């Protein structure tokens, strides 16, 4: 559960295109914008600042390489890391690099409340390039357990909804959520962090 301070807080949401929410929402809000609506308006934290520093196609090593620009300069009270969807293209051989980069990002962000997100399920068309996605999800779970970070397990949430069926209703293409998927991500994140869920929009 996120600890909310009496004073204004800075929330930094780092990640890839799913965090950046480009193109695939077709003008609707992305999950970070939904979280901002809940935090800043519905919870009355009008002076909290929510920074979306997601970059399309980025991996954990990209975020680490640009750490000062996308995270450090904002001195976050809360740091959300949602990565792995692109990292998984390296297969099992890429897992050590992924773990190491994520660990260093977390260590460099000492003092922030860390939130780690597992990657989402993808459709069958995206599986050939992302066959090891379960292993990367498990790596995120282990990182959360080992560092004390909060875990938002989107994979488990989506699998509970769809089982082994492709989650087409929540996707815009084989790997990117649509507007419905982003709203599902936001509400699952909010519930996991103890922040309720979005009231009627």
């Amino acid at each position: 559960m996120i600890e909310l301070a009496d004073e204004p807080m800075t929330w930094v949401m780092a990640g890839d295109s799913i965090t950046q929410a480009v193109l695939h929402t077709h003008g609707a809000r992305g999950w970070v914008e939904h979280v901002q609506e809940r935090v800043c308006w519905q919870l009355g934290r009008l002076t909290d600042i929510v920074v979306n520093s997601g970059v399309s196609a980025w991996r954990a090593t990209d975020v680490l390489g640009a750490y000062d620009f996308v995270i450090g300069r904002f001195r976050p009270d809360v740091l959300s890391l949602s990565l792995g969807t692109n990292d998984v293209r390296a297969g099992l051989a890429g897992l050590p690099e992924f773990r190491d980069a994520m660990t260093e990002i977390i260590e460099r962000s000492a003092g922030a409340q860390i939130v780690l997100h597992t990657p989402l399920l993808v459709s069958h068309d995206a599986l050939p390039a992302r066959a090891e996605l379960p292993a990367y999800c498990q790596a995120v779970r282990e990182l959360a357990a080992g560092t004390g970070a909060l875990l938002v397990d989107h994979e488990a949430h989506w699998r509970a909804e769809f089982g082994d069926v492709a989650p087409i209703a929540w996707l815009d293409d084989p790997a990117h959520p649509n507007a419905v998927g982003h709203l599902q991500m936001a509400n699952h994140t909010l519930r996991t962090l103890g922040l309720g869920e979005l009231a009627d929009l």
Side-chain angles (χ1 to χ4, degrees):
M1 182 176 296
I2 285 291
E3 296 181 12
L4 297 177
D6 292 334
E7 62 272 12
M9 295 170 64
T10 300
W11 307 60
V12 173
M13 314 306 222
D16 51 32
S17 59
I18 295 173
T19 295
Q20 194 173 27
V22 289
L23 180 62
H24 295 284
T25 64
H26 301 281
R29 283 176 165 173
W31 75 267
V32 173
E33 293 173 290
H34 285 304
V35 169
Q36 180 181 19
E37 174 77 9
R38 176 65 181 164
V39 170
C40 296
W41 180 249
Q42 294 180 2
L43 297 182
R45 301 184 61 85
L46 295 176
T47 51
D48 277 19
I49 302 297
V50 179
V51 179
N52 185 336
S53 65
V55 181
S56 180
W58 271 22
R59 301 173 301 146
T61 51
D62 297 307
V63 174
L64 178 59
Y67 178 88
D68 288 337
F69 185 72
V70 298
I71 297 172
R73 63 182 173 138
F74 301 113
R75 294 182 295 172
D77 299 293
V78 177
L79 172 61
S80 163
L81 294 172
S82 181
L83 293 159
T85 300
N86 298 312
D87 308 75
V88 73
R89 289 177 173 273
L92 291 178
L95 263 175
E97 183 178 56
F98 175 71
R99 286 196 194 98
D100 289 348
M102 292 286 283
T103 299
E104 188 168 346
I105 293 167
I106 293 167
E107 289 175 348
R108 292 185 64 176
S109 305
Q113 298 180 69
I114 307 295
V115 181
L116 301 183
H117 303 253
T118 61
L120 310 175
L121 294 183
V122 297
S123 78
H124 300 315
D125 290 342
L127 281 177
R130 295 177 170 87
E132 303 302 337
L133 200 56
Y136 280 75
C137 291
Q138 184 58 28
V140 173
R141 294 184 189 105
E142 291 169 0
L143 282 165
T147 63
L150 295 167
L151 174 68
V152 181
D153 197 337
H154 295 290
E155 187 205 35
H157 177 225
W158 286 44
R159 196 168 294 285
E161 178 71 20
F162 294 99
D164 294 328
V165 177
I168 300 301
W170 292 1
L171 291 173
D172 185 59
D173 75 359
H176 294 86
N178 58 18
V180 175
H182 274 276
L183 184 57
Q184 288 289 336
M185 286 185 68
N187 272 328
H188 186 58
T189 298
L190 290 165
R191 288 190 297 264
T192 303
L193 301 186
L195 301 175
E197 60 182 42
L198 285 154
D200 292 339
L201 300 177

